[in-house]
Amino acid sequence: MEINISNAALKWFQEEVELNKGDKVRFYTQIYGSSPIQENFSLAFTVDNDPIDMYINTELEGITFFIEETDLWFFNGHNLHVDYNQQKDEIEFSYTVSSD
């Protein structure tokens, strides 16, 4: 499994969420909404500088993006891709099948 953050998404996190080097962003599941890989569940994020059980992470410009082991089930063998949608002025998530 991988977490891929586009440069545009990284810039959005730095400007809109005001993240700085050393900050950590956790992607987690919500029990409402919808996603292409899990019906009735969606993905959200929070700034979480005290991870409990970081399963997978990626670091860009000193900012760590991660998923805890308790949320791994949501991805069901998929990689997470985070990009910025300029028209909607928000980040968006997409998923590809992991080769692991």
Side-chain angles (χ1 to χ4, degrees):
M1 173 174 192
E2 298 177 353
I3 301 172
N4 299 292
I5 311 290
S6 72
N7 288 334
L10 174 63
K11 183 177 177 183
W12 183 88
F13 276 106
Q14 291 169 320
E15 293 175 358
E16 297 298 321
V17 186
E18 299 181 355
L19 295 180
N20 297 301
K21 187 175 183 177
D23 285 331
K24 294 176 181 65
V25 175
R26 178 172 59 102
F27 296 106
Y28 66 95
T29 58
Q30 300 183 108
I31 57 172
Y32 57 88
S34 187
S35 76
I37 57 174
Q38 293 290 344
E39 206 172 312
N40 300 318
F41 292 91
S42 62
L43 197 62
F45 73 89
T46 187
V47 177
D48 182 350
N49 289 322
D50 295 313
I52 295 171
D53 194 8
M54 191 183 305
Y55 181 81
I56 185 88
N57 67 29
T58 190
E59 185 176 315
L60 297 168
E61 295 187 21
I63 300 170
T64 302
F65 297 88
F66 71 97
I67 297 165
E68 298 241 336
E69 187 170 9
T70 56
D71 289 313
L72 190 60
W73 65 269
F74 173 86
F75 297 93
N76 194 26
H78 290 78
N79 295 320
L80 171 63
H81 302 272
V82 183
D83 202 357
Y84 169 71
N85 183 319
Q86 187 172 11
Q87 290 179 333
K88 294 181 179 179
D89 190 27
E90 61 186 31
I91 59 165
E92 58 187 12
F93 305 118
S94 61
Y95 311 89
T96 57
V97 176
S98 176
S99 60
D100 293 352

